[in-house]
Amino acid sequence: MVSAAFLKIVSPCWKPVVEGENSSDGEGSGQVDGLLWYRDSGHQGSGEFSMAVVQANSQLEDHSQLESGPLSLHESGPQGTFVGIYDGHGGPEAAQFVNQRLFDNIKKFTTESYGMSADVITKAFLATEEEFLSLVKQQWLRKPQIASAGSCCLVGIICSGMLYIANAGDSRVVLGRLGNNVKEVKAIQLSKEHNASIESVRKELHSLHPDDPQIVVLKHKVWRVKGIIQISRSIGDAYLKKAEFNREPLLPKFRLPKPFHKPILKAEPTILVQELDSEDQFLIFASDGLWEHLSNQEAVDIVHNYPRNGIARKLVSVALREAAKKREMRYSDLKKIDRGVRRHFHDDITVIVLFLNSYMISHSSWDGPLLSIKGATGGMCGNANT
């Protein structure tokens, strides 16, 4: 596998929010190199972690967070680790909003239910959706384009030895699990994706909208919901949730020729709950920008075979090299291309790798570090050097 270029700090101007006095390594602010932000290593409640984000769009549309500590509003409530990957589209507004509100809603419903559950997570997704749609309604007349902003939403929670994965959209989480051979680590995809390119997703859409033969349309060799968008689930995309936002002054490319009477897209996530065991080595959470260039097993092999320190940055680097190779260009030339134009070569990419310490996960009392990182809270600055 091609090795990653060594990256140095060239710009201090884009830093995430980090809270909590017990941030483990004193580098909570992360580091910046051109269009890349990274946090090479740190500690969270289930073990070590590594994070990286690279920008391609004119405005960064990927947002993310890592929380380690209380999962409810009470100190006596459950403790654990929360990961969120929010891949925005149609602008950054929805992803930014989810980054601000979803975890708070998780804590609210965990408190009300006296514990973590799939139902708690679903309620938090739907509450965040309703809050964002209310914001769209408030801003509709002065900022109609917010109705076309949406976000895929991938969440992972480790709590009391259990792993909860919730997904709406096409981000992905892959588990690295030891095989029969100790040197072998198998890739196991845990998230179910909601993209119209998948036959089961198209079937689901047809079953939910039996009277609409145009619910999915093959356009330029790509399956799209109503000929517009590839994903079938998201938070936001108000123009495909409520007919009141599918009209002028919304841009014509988002307006449907006929009114609709029920939401075309859903915000409800698909949820997996399973117990973690000693064979489970690490989790790779990433927006689809990574998976466009790496297979599940390729990503797992990289994490297994390279040092933990900087492994998220390594995954991003290998993906960018693959993107350059597909366009028959040198990686060094790709790095010179600035945001906006860079989107023609690859998407925004966010990666969070969690290493799983089975002792810490199974320990009856919480003694993990308190940590809160939002991996994209400001705009990038500087030129493309990543």
Side-chain angles (χ1 to χ4, degrees), residues 60-77:
L60 184 69
E61 294 183 333
D62 271 16
H63 288 259
S64 56
Q65 69 186 119
L66 173 60
E67 311 284 343
S68 181
L71 297 175
S72 75
L73 300 175
H74 298 317
E75 289 185 9
S76 60

Side-chain angles (χ1 to χ4, degrees), residues 129-171:
E129 162 88 342
E130 287 306 310
E131 290 171 356
F132 186 71
L133 294 184
S134 295
L135 179 67
V136 172
K137 190 168 186 176
Q138 292 170 17
Q139 299 189 359
W140 166 248
L141 291 178
R142 68 177 185 274
K143 191 181 178 181
Q145 70 269 23
I146 195 174
S148 59
S151 181
C152 298
C153 192
L154 171 64
V155 162
I157 299 172
I158 297 173
C159 180
S160 302
M162 301 299 293
L163 173 65
Y164 301 80
I165 298 295
N167 194 42
D170 58 5
S171 295

Side-chain angles (χ1 to χ4, degrees), residues 1 6 108 110 161 164 170 198-199 201 208 220 225-226 277 279 283 298 317 322 346 350 354 360 368 386:
M1 188 62 68
F6 180 71
K108 171 189 171 185
T110 301
Y164 301 80
D170 58 5
I198 302 169
E199 185 179 2
V201 172
L208 292 171
H220 305 301
V225 182
K226 300 302 293 181
D277 63 43
E279 269 69 56
L283 295 160
E298 285 171 338
S317 175
E322 289 300 314
H346 66 86
T350 296
L354 293 189
M360 294 176 70
T386 303

